[in-house]
Amino acid sequence: MASIHFTQNLTRHTQCPMAKLEAATVAELFARYFESWPGVRDYVLDNQGEVRHHVKVLVDGRNVRDRSKLTDRLEKDSEVHVFQALSGG
């Protein structure tokens, strides 16, 4: 099962525990996760269903390539990390 993790800065706004779910793509993983934790969706995706500009998603340590349709493939043991991208100086 693929696992999904969220950084602590997001947990200040909503509950988003780590989970292990069956999924073939990032889109499928998010859809299954949001079924149990619907409040997390708006922090991760915009109203078009795309990854928000200030959010970074890594699949097995690499940036997700498809931020729009989330078609990046997952392996059975993939790890997906979601965090807010910080900017400033």
Side-chain angles (χ1 to χ4, degrees):
M1 285 195 215
S3 61
I4 185 168
H5 308 266
F6 296 86
T7 56
Q8 285 186 333
N9 60 349
L10 190 55
T11 63
R12 285 185 278 160
H13 304 288
T14 187
Q15 286 188 312
C16 45
M18 188 279 286
K20 291 188 176 211
L21 302 162
E22 292 286 340
T25 64
V26 174
E28 195 176 318
L29 182 68
F30 280 166
R32 291 198 170 141
Y33 187 85
F34 298 149
E35 286 174 5
S36 297
W37 300 99
V40 180
R41 186 188 188 288
D42 289 337
Y43 287 99
V44 178
L45 305 178
D46 64 18
N47 59 0
Q48 302 297 311
E50 298 179 7
V51 176
R52 290 187 176 278
H53 292 289
H54 67 276
V55 172
K56 189 168 184 110
V57 178
L58 300 178
V59 175
D60 297 326
R62 290 185 298 272
N63 286 325
V64 70
R65 284 175 266 182
D66 183 1
R67 293 177 59 89
S68 298
K69 294 188 170 100
L70 304 168
T71 59
D72 293 58
R73 303 286 303 161
L74 300 176
E75 301 296 325
K76 284 183 5 181
D77 60 348
S78 283
E79 291 198 19
V80 175
H81 291 266
V82 180
F83 55 96
Q84 288 179 311
L86 301 176
S87 62

